[in-house]
Amino acid sequence: MGPSLTIPWQSKEYLKAPIAGSADLGSLPPEMALLPVGQDPISGDWLSAQWIVEGGQLKAMILIGPDTALPLTKGLLYQVWVRITAEPEIPLLKPGTVYAS
């Protein structure tokens, strides 16, 4: 399976991850992690994200690229992770991948 998104490694932009579920999720704090495929996130990998709605679709988003907490390395395929704290549940979602071209 190929990447769901290709982004030049030098690009600084918002990574937007569509999340299926109730609009009520927008009231819960999202966190995101971006790691090479095959690596699972650990506590220090999670960063605060924010919600947006585009075209009626709820998306978690975070700034990636140079001079951010999530720089890209050319040639790597990354797994996008989203964590939503909805006590007692804390689901980990994998909405797609990003290839750094």
Side-chain angles (χ1 to χ4, degrees):
M1 179 171 124
S4 55
L5 186 62
T6 298
I7 298 176
W9 69 273
Q10 313 96 318
S11 183
K12 184 176 184 178
E13 60 187 84
Y14 281 101
L15 174 62
K16 300 172 185 175
I19 303 298
S22 163
D24 293 339
L25 287 177
S27 67
L28 302 171
E31 295 173 290
M32 293 178 73
L34 187 66
L35 297 166
V37 167
Q39 291 185 22
D40 293 333
I42 58 174
S43 63
D45 294 326
W46 294 106
L47 300 171
S48 294
Q50 54 189 314
W51 292 116
I52 61 163
V53 176
E54 284 186 336
Q57 171 74 59
L58 183 65
K59 298 178 180 182
M61 74 175 193
I62 196 164
L63 194 61
I64 64 169
D67 301 319
T68 73
L70 296 171
L72 300 176
T73 299
K74 186 176 183 174
L76 285 184
L77 180 63
Y78 293 90
Q79 179 66 58
V80 179
W81 294 84
V82 177
R83 179 169 75 176
I84 303 165
T85 301
E87 294 293 342
E89 298 180 318
I90 304 176
L92 302 183
L93 309 172
K94 294 173 24 175
T97 58
V98 172
Y99 177 73
S101 63

